[in-house]
């Protein structure tokens, strides 16, 4: 019975985690976060102002229409021209004051105000004064013209219209204060709360596979070095347990304190006290492998300044599973592996890593580069993978590098929306970042501009459905690797 309840509880927890993850990904798109904030915060702020108004004294309901429209303008475009608390308060207050002044002047020169009557001259003069004053003070605010006209009506209804002007100033100040707090504590910090990549991926495991493992290890080290708690773990996978134990033993004999092992080691001696690897001719191979690991670890610590550890594991028949298991045991949250292909297609090893439960970066080194200053990040739109790629790019480029975040469109009508998406994506990151929108195919865009960059970061598209990937394969599978004359890294968030 207990086991059944445990299974049910585990499934409920898995469902909750999936739902929370889906909600986080949905909120990671800036437009969704903004619209949700409007739905929740604007009614709350207007309700608070109404409650305070009822406590302080009786105010005209005409206070609220310009206040509500102005509040929506603030929250709907928090980076726009009108997203200034001072402009918001000043514009609404100046509009009300100009309406008050216009009706006083017009009634003195042209007409005698009567209850319920709005004179055309007063209305025209209020709009004119509002336009002149807000333009001159550079506090143009659409809602200011609403308060200017409404003041004329208030003037004809109550004996003290100056109370309306004061109430506009006070209530707009409360709304502006709420907006400033939301923008500073939530909107501008959304990367901290919603984008997991900005907090993690600082412990990097690098399988030492292929001829370009050293370059991939340097890439992983520079990613890890961006965080104070960063570290790199070099993984050497061997297919024989005796060889693995021999490498671990030799590393300890060399005084190698970086060695990390999750397995117990015993004496590598046969019944006559000899090393069985010597009889197999494997002693020199083990010694050479250990020397290579030590040299690469020392190079990383010297050039990058990030701690580097070494793991020697025995392959249990599935290399990808061995890598993932080792990453969990070594407390690593990112696997940076050399990119591998076989007959022009991605190897099963890479596909299995992309299908695992850990973040993966597959790096294809072109010219042995170990420093990446100019980085291109093509994206389809906002999301977890796009955010991770921009985060990785800013880490690698540093303060002096250049990051370009681009997208491709099919026609000119999509340009404005594409530019807005890119702006929302990059505005939470520090660094020298530019955005590019190209009306061309992604393959053409990459081959045309690859020589301008040291590295191109691409998404693995694992967040798309299998049907979607079948109809439109991921970009890294569609491009000709030989046609891209620079380093390429494929990023997969799991």
């Amino acid at each position: 019975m207990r086991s059944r309840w445990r299974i049910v509880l585990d499934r409920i927890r898995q469902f909750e985690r999936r739902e929370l993850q889906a909600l986080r990904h949905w909120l990671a798109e800036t437009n969704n976060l903004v619209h949700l904030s409007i739905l929740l915060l604007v009614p709350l702020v207007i309700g608070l102002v109404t409650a305070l108004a009822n406590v302080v004294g009786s105010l005209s309901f005409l206070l609220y229409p310009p206040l509500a429209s102005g509040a929506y303008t603030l929250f709907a475009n928090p980076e726009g021209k009108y997203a200034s608390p001072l402009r918001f308060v000043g514009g609404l207050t100046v509009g009300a004051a100009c309406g008050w002044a216009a009706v006083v002047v017009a009634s003195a020169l042209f007409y005698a105000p009567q209850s319920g009557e709005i004179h055309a001259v007063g209305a025209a003069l209020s709009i004119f004064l509002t336009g002149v004053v807000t333009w001159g003070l550079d506090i143009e605010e659409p809602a200011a013209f609403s308060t200017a006209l409404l003041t004329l009506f208030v003037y004809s209804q109550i004996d003290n219209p100056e109370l309306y002007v004061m109430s506009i100033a006070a209530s707009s100040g409360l709304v502006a204060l709420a907006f400033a707090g939301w923008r500073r504590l939530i909107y501008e910090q959304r990367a901290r709360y919603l984008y997991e990549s900005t907090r993690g991926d600082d412990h990097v495991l690098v399988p030492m596979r292929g001829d370009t493992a050293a370059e991939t290890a340097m890439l992983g080290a520079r990613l890890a070095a961006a965080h104070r708690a960063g570290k790199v773990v070099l993984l050497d996978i061997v297919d024989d347990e005796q060889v693995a134990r021999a490498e671990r033993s030799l590393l300890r004999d060399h005084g190698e304190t970086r060695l990390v092992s999750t397995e117990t080691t015993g004496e590598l001696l046969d019944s006559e006290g000899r090393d069985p690897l010597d009889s197999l001719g494997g002693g020199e191979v083990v010694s050479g492998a250990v020397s290579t690991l030590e040299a690469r670890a020392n190079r990383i610590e010297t050039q990058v300044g990030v701690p580097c550890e070494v793991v020697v594991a025995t392959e249990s028949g599935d290399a990808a599973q061995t890598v993932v298991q080792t990453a969990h045991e070594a407390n690593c949250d990112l696997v940076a592996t050399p990119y591998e292909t076989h007959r022009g297609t991605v190897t099963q090893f890479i596909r299995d890593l992309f299908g695992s439960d850990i973040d993966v970066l597959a790096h294809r080194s072109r010219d042995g580069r170990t420093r990446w200053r100019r980085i291109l990040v093509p994206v389809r739109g906002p999301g977890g993978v796009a955010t991770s790629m921009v985060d990785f790019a800013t880490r690698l480029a540093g303060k002096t590098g250049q990051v370009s975040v681009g997208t491709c469109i099919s026609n000119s009508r999509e340009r404005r929306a594409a530019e807005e998406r890119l702006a929302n994506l990059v505005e939470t990151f520090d660094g020298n970042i530019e955005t590019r929108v190209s009306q061309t195919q992604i393959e053409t865009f990459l081959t045309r501009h690859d020589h301008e960059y040291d590295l191109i970061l691409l998404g693995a598209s694992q967040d798309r459905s299998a049907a979607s990937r079948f109809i439109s394969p991921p970009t890294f599978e569609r491009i000709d690797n030989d046609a891209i004359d620079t380093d390429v890294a494929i990023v997969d968030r799991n």
Side-chain angles (χ1 to χ4, degrees), residues 28-323:
E29 187 171 345
T30 301
N31 288 336
N32 294 334
L33 176 63
V34 168
H35 281 94
L36 184 63
S37 299
I38 292 173
L39 291 176
L40 298 179
L41 294 181
V42 173
L44 181 63
V45 171
I46 298 299
L48 176 62
V49 171
T50 305
L52 292 176
N54 291 333
V55 172
V56 172
S58 178
L59 296 177
S60 171
F61 182 75
L62 296 177
L63 163 72
Y64 301 109
L67 198 65
S69 63
Y72 177 85
T73 302
L74 279 179
F75 284 91
N77 190 8
E79 299 292 339
K81 174 182 177 181
Y82 301 108
S84 167
L86 291 178
R87 182 189 295 271
F88 174 73
V89 176
L92 266 65
T93 305
V94 165
C98 288
W100 183 21
V103 74
V104 170
V105 172
S107 62
L109 298 178
F110 302 104
Y111 72 99
Q114 298 180 7
S115 178
E117 180 182 0
I118 307 299
H119 199 276
V121 175
L125 184 58
S126 67
I127 295 298
F128 174 76
L129 288 178
T130 302
V132 170
V133 175
T134 56
W135 183 20
L137 297 177
D138 193 26
I139 54 172
E140 292 174 285
E141 169 68 33
F145 297 90
S146 299
T147 59
L149 286 177
L150 289 172
T151 305
L152 273 69
F153 184 79
V154 172
Y155 192 92
S156 65
Q157 297 293 322
I158 61 178
D159 296 330
N160 51 349
E162 65 276 7
L163 180 62
Y164 181 72
V165 179
M166 295 173 60
S167 64
I168 283 287
S171 57
S172 61
L174 290 175
V175 173
L177 183 64
F179 167 74
W182 169 81
R183 185 170 65 178
R184 181 175 180 179
L185 300 178
I186 298 178
Y187 181 79
E188 293 180 351
Q189 300 296 322
R190 62 190 185 279
R192 176 183 176 187
Y193 302 125
L194 301 176
Y195 303 158
E196 296 174 348
S197 63
T198 61
R199 304 190 303 271
D201 294 328
D202 51 5
H203 292 180
V204 184
L205 179 75
V206 184
M208 307 306 289
R209 296 167 57 97
D211 299 331
T212 62
E215 290 80 4
T216 301
M218 290 297 291
L219 180 67
R222 297 196 184 279
L223 288 174
H227 290 174
R228 289 185 177 181
K231 73 172 182 179
V232 179
V233 178
L234 305 183
L235 171 62
D236 185 26
I237 302 178
V238 297
D239 55 5
D240 187 278
E241 176 58 25
Q242 282 192 334
V243 174
R245 293 169 60 191
E247 289 191 15
R248 300 188 194 108
S249 177
L250 191 55
L251 285 166
R252 289 191 174 88
D253 290 344
H254 289 181
E256 182 56 70
T257 59
R258 287 186 295 258
L259 177 64
V260 176
S261 176
T262 57
E263 302 178 25
T264 58
T265 57
E267 294 293 333
L268 274 178
L269 300 176
D270 59 15
S271 59
E272 298 180 4
R274 298 173 303 180
D275 188 340
L277 292 173
D278 289 338
S279 61
L280 297 173
E284 294 183 359
V285 175
V286 170
S287 178
V290 168
S291 298
T292 300
L293 288 172
E294 290 177 332
R296 289 174 175 172
N298 288 329
R299 183 185 180 191
I300 288 173
E301 291 187 341
T302 301
Q303 294 188 8
V304 184
V306 64
C308 186
E309 300 173 347
V310 178
V311 171
V312 182
T314 306
E315 183 178 340
S316 58
D318 188 339
Q321 181 60 34
T322 302
V323 170

Side-chain angles (χ1 to χ4, degrees), residues 23 27 79 145 228 255 285 291 315 332 359 375 381 397 417 435 460 479:
L23 177 61
L27 288 174
E79 299 292 339
F145 297 90
R228 289 185 177 181
V285 175
S291 298
E315 183 178 340
C332 293
D359 294 351
I375 303 171
T435 58
I479 62 174

Side-chain angles (χ1 to χ4, degrees), residues 244-461:
R245 293 169 60 191
E247 289 191 15
R248 300 188 194 108
S249 177
L250 191 55
L251 285 166
R252 289 191 174 88
D253 290 344
H254 289 181
E256 182 56 70
T257 59
R258 287 186 295 258
L259 177 64
V260 176
S261 176
T262 57
E263 302 178 25
T264 58
T265 57
E267 294 293 333
L268 274 178
L269 300 176
D270 59 15
S271 59
E272 298 180 4
R274 298 173 303 180
D275 188 340
L277 292 173
D278 289 338
S279 61
L280 297 173
E284 294 183 359
V285 175
V286 170
S287 178
V290 168
S291 298
T292 300
L293 288 172
E294 290 177 332
R296 289 174 175 172
N298 288 329
R299 183 185 180 191
I300 288 173
E301 291 187 341
T302 301
Q303 294 188 8
V304 184
V306 64
C308 186
E309 300 173 347
V310 178
V311 171
V312 182
T314 306
E315 183 178 340
S316 58
D318 188 339
Q321 181 60 34
T322 302
V323 170
V324 173
Q325 181 179 352
T326 305
H328 289 309
E329 293 174 350
N331 193 29
C332 293
D333 45 17
L334 174 67
V335 171
T337 183
Y339 186 63
E340 300 178 6
T341 59
H342 178 66
R343 295 180 179 179
T345 61
V346 182
T347 62
Q348 190 61 42
F349 171 74
I350 298 295
R351 294 187 183 278
D352 289 344
L353 285 182
F354 284 163
S356 67
D357 61 349
I358 195 167
D359 294 351
V360 178
L361 183 146
H363 170 230
R364 192 212 67 179
S365 177
R366 172 62 71 180
D367 298 318
R369 183 180 287 109
T370 58
R371 196 69 177 94
W372 299 267
R373 295 286 188 183
R374 301 168 302 164
I375 303 171
L376 174 63
V377 185
V379 298
R380 291 186 294 113
V385 176
T387 303
S388 294
M389 293 193 294
V390 178
D391 176 44
F392 289 166
T394 54
R395 292 195 208 180
L396 294 171
K399 296 181 179 179
T400 60
Q402 172 71 49
V403 176
S404 297
V405 181
T407 190
C408 292
I409 57 177
S410 57
N411 58 73
S412 59
R413 294 188 300 273
E414 301 174 0
R415 181 172 299 276
R416 187 179 298 275
E419 291 174 347
E420 182 180 355
R421 289 196 303 270
L422 293 181
N424 290 335
L425 175 62
V426 305
E427 66 187 6
T428 58
F429 295 94
D430 297 325
N432 188 12
I433 306 176
E434 67 172 4
T435 58
R436 304 182 63 168
V437 178
S438 178
Q439 188 175 336
T440 184
Q441 295 293 326
I442 181 63
E443 298 91 340
T444 304
F445 176 73
L446 294 179
T447 55
R448 183 180 298 168
H449 298 284
D450 59 347
H451 64 280
E452 303 173 14
Y453 300 97
D454 302 327
L455 175 68
I456 298 176
L457 288 172
L458 300 173
S461 297

